[in-house]
Amino acid sequence: MKQLLLITSLIASTPLFAEPLNYQRIDFQTEVEKEIPNDLLTATLSVELNNKNPSLLAKDLTTITNESLKLGSNYSSVKLTSGNQQTYPIYNDKNKLDGWRGRAEIQVSSKDFKSAGELISQLQSKLQLNNLNFSVAPETRRELENQLISEAVAAFKTRADKIKTAWSAKGYKLIQMNLGTTNNQPPQPMYMMARAAKMEMADGAPAADYAGGQSRLNVQVSGSIELEQ
């Protein structure tokens, strides 16, 4: 009997009807984007040599690499570093060792396109240009991302206010917010490099006239709000 009375008492103390929720949840996203000039040039040049003697081959590769780095020291606005260097055997059609082949790389990076182009042109007297890329420097991207994040958050708030007005709500509260960024670089026209290869400087070396193009930086803000009815 005591157990029955206790259960009855608990039931009596529990509200028969829970208070209805006065909020309606809505998920949405806003984004802002901006085209920005690519301000960083990166390139890879390499040299490949053959030699019967692997020691002489390594010496020749090191000599060319050191000469290239020394040449690059004349351009204070251009960063030049040595890249991968490797040597591997060459076999003839009878599967016998016939010599050695080696490859050495030089990495170039700079925001000064004119100086970098001049240096790359001079390096190509002994090195081959493997690739050339233009992008937004990390520090430039971070600075612009911070600006766009502020704009994207402001756009999110504006959208939230419009949603509140459209639903004739008393107000809203932010439940969650997520930030995301993308950096899209359109394909670079090949005519830039072709045009640079055809031009010549007074000393006869190819004169590079590079144009970096643009990238598109996009910032998205997604989140959820609950409207108060």
Side-chain angles (χ1 to χ4, degrees), residues 75-143:
Y75 294 84
S76 59
S77 61
V78 183
K79 182 180 180 181
L80 206 63
T81 58
S82 56
N84 295 327
Q85 182 170 329
Q86 57 184 345
T87 303
Y88 49 92
I90 300 175
Y91 297 94
N92 58 23
D93 54 0
K94 296 181 180 180
N95 203 30
K96 291 186 177 181
L97 183 64
D98 193 38
W100 297 84
R101 186 168 185 82
R103 185 176 189 273
E105 291 182 347
I106 292 291
Q107 308 289 342
V108 179
S109 63
S110 178
K111 291 184 176 182
D112 184 349
F113 292 176
K114 186 178 186 303
S115 295
E118 291 178 0
L119 176 56
I120 289 173
S121 297
Q122 295 182 44
L123 290 173
Q124 287 185 87
S125 63
K126 292 185 178 180
L127 302 173
Q128 179 181 1
L129 179 61
N130 300 131
N131 61 68
L132 178 68
N133 297 303
F134 298 94
S135 60
V136 180
E139 60 273 15
T140 304
R141 185 175 64 250
R142 284 192 296 269
E143 181 179 351

Side-chain angles (χ1 to χ4, degrees), residues 138-185:
E139 60 273 15
T140 304
R141 185 175 64 250
R142 284 192 296 269
E143 181 179 351
L144 291 173
E145 281 179 352
N146 289 336
Q147 296 177 10
L148 291 181
I149 286 174
S150 298
E151 295 179 15
V153 170
F156 185 91
K157 291 180 179 178
T158 300
R159 180 71 60 83
D161 288 334
K162 290 184 177 180
I163 292 173
K164 181 196 72 173
T165 301
W167 283 86
S168 300
K170 297 178 181 178
Y172 70 87
K173 63 178 181 178
L174 179 65
I175 303 304
Q176 65 171 357
M177 177 181 288
N178 302 304
L179 296 173
T181 61
T182 57
N183 184 10
N184 299 319
Q185 180 177 345

